[in-house]
Amino acid sequence: MSASDEDEVLDLAAQRARLEQDRESRLAQVERLSMEAADEAWHQPKPDETDQGSEAVERERLRSLADRARADLRAIDEALERIDEGNYGTCVDCGDAIAPARLQARPEALTCVSCQQRRRQAS
């Protein structure tokens, strides 16, 4: 194994460790937000319509945050699968390597910067 191959293995190990840490953080966030949204205090009758409306908005905000955290968790799990399969860091659209700086910023990235820009323009 050459020095550059060894560096790549070390980088991959660091990315795996970071993704696993991010996964634990997101999992805890999902659990906390789900518990907050399901808290029995939300189900207590409120005499004021303004209070009822405010609580409904807050419950929806908590659910939305939990949904986003679940989506992040799925993306992290998929990135860990790509590491296991040996195709982590390869753009799913064009097959080129994803820049290390992009993977540092978004370790769960599926696409290179060029393909991501094309996706944004298309949507």
Side-chain angles (χ1 to χ4, degrees), residues 18 98-107 113:
R18 181 174 173 201
I98 300 172
R102 177 158 169 74
L103 291 172
Q104 279 299 105
R106 296 200 44 94
V113 171

Side-chain angles (χ1 to χ4, degrees), residues 3-111:
S4 64
D5 291 339
E6 189 173 314
D7 288 343
E8 185 148 338
V9 170
L10 293 173
D11 288 344
L12 200 55
Q15 285 298 94
R16 175 184 286 284
R18 181 174 173 201
L19 284 161
E20 288 173 348
Q21 183 179 11
D22 288 350
R23 185 182 191 288
E24 291 303 313
S25 174
R26 288 294 184 271
L27 191 56
Q29 184 181 26
V30 166
E31 290 174 4
R32 180 182 54 79
L33 290 167
S34 296
M35 285 176 40
E36 284 182 40
D39 190 340
E40 286 299 315
W42 296 114
H43 304 291
Q44 301 300 318
K46 304 294 185 263
D48 187 328
E49 286 181 24
T50 303
D51 288 343
Q52 292 171 6
S54 295
E55 286 190 359
V57 168
E58 180 63 11
R59 272 194 316 271
E60 186 56 37
R61 184 186 74 81
L62 291 170
R63 285 186 192 118
S64 179
L65 289 171
D67 288 346
R68 180 69 214 156
R70 281 187 201 92
D72 291 345
L73 192 55
R74 279 190 300 277
I76 291 167
D77 286 341
E78 290 168 2
L80 289 167
E81 285 177 24
R82 288 192 303 279
I83 289 174
D84 292 342
E85 293 167 356
N87 56 14
Y88 178 78
T90 302
C91 178
V92 297
D93 287 354
C94 70
D96 288 345
I98 300 172
R102 177 158 169 74
L103 291 172
Q104 279 299 105
R106 296 200 44 94
E108 71 282 1
L110 290 170
T111 58

